[in-house]
Amino acid sequence: MTRLASSSRNLHRKFIAAVIATAMAITGFSAAPARADSDDIAKFIAGAAILGIISAAINDSKKDRRRPPHVDPTPRPKPLPPRVRRYDLPAQCLTSIRVRGKDRNLLGMRCLRRNYDYVRELPNRCYAEFDNRNQSRRGYRPGCLRKHGYRLVRR
């Protein structure tokens, strides 16, 4: 419902309540001829009590208005869109291997396939294969990927 419709509905309620309250007050005075006895005082008090009950009902209806939505006190960051998230490489895939007496950093291919959705979109020029006496490793050089806008992120 639009804001205009809800405000006009509240105005109608107030108008109807005012009309009813006025009608109750007038009928209490015009029902009997003007006499000053204890019967008139009791009617006046009863009319005032009815007006009080009506005004209390109007105030209660005001309390029934919509409450603002609940706001979480610890906001959580929104996930990044895919076009940005594809540049975040998992830091857990970074390994160091020893080749010809030098330590080389490498993002392991198997780890990237398990933890990264965009392996096929990584630049081919950053792909590397390192052969050691015991094993061969395939993956991507982190320095080269960094030059192409990728970054290592802990998840």
Side-chain angles (χ1 to χ4, degrees):
M1 185 176 292
T2 63
R3 185 182 220 181
L4 182 62
S6 66
S7 66
S8 67
R9 184 172 50 166
N10 288 336
L11 290 175
H12 290 302
R13 285 183 180 174
K14 289 179 183 178
F15 177 72
I16 291 170
V19 168
I20 290 173
T22 307
M24 298 280 281
I26 291 172
T27 55
F29 291 122
S30 66
R35 285 183 289 170
D37 60 353
S38 63
D39 218 17
D40 289 337
I41 295 172
K43 288 179 182 179
F44 178 75
I45 292 174
I50 290 174
L51 287 176
I53 292 171
I54 292 173
S55 65
I58 292 172
N59 283 335
D60 284 342
S61 71
K62 288 181 181 178
K63 291 179 184 175
D64 291 340
R65 291 183 183 164
R66 288 187 207 166
R67 293 182 180 161
H70 174 71
V71 178
D72 191 9
T74 57
R76 292 175 184 85
K78 292 182 181 177
L80 294 172
R83 68 180 183 276
V84 175
R85 190 175 54 229
R86 66 177 272 236
Y87 289 102
D88 292 341
L89 299 170
Q92 66 204 31
C93 294
L94 183 65
T95 59
S96 179
I97 60 171
R98 194 156 186 84
V99 178
R100 298 187 190 119
K102 293 183 181 178
D103 286 333
R104 303 278 182 149
N105 289 330
L106 185 72
L107 287 165
M109 191 67 153
R110 187 181 308 153
C111 179
L112 282 175
R113 283 191 181 139
R114 288 182 188 156
N115 300 304
Y116 183 64
D117 295 332
Y118 308 99
V119 175
R120 291 184 180 213
E121 297 176 18
L122 291 174
N124 287 334
R125 65 175 63 164
C126 297
Y127 179 78
E129 291 183 15
F130 292 114
D131 292 327
N132 197 351
R133 288 184 187 171
N134 302 331
Q135 61 189 353
S136 67
R137 292 284 187 124
R138 299 178 316 143
Y140 290 89
R141 294 187 306 266
C144 178
L145 290 173
R146 197 172 298 118
K147 288 179 184 175
H148 284 86
Y150 293 89
R151 59 186 173 252
L152 295 176
V153 176
R154 295 193 187 277
R155 295 182 185 176

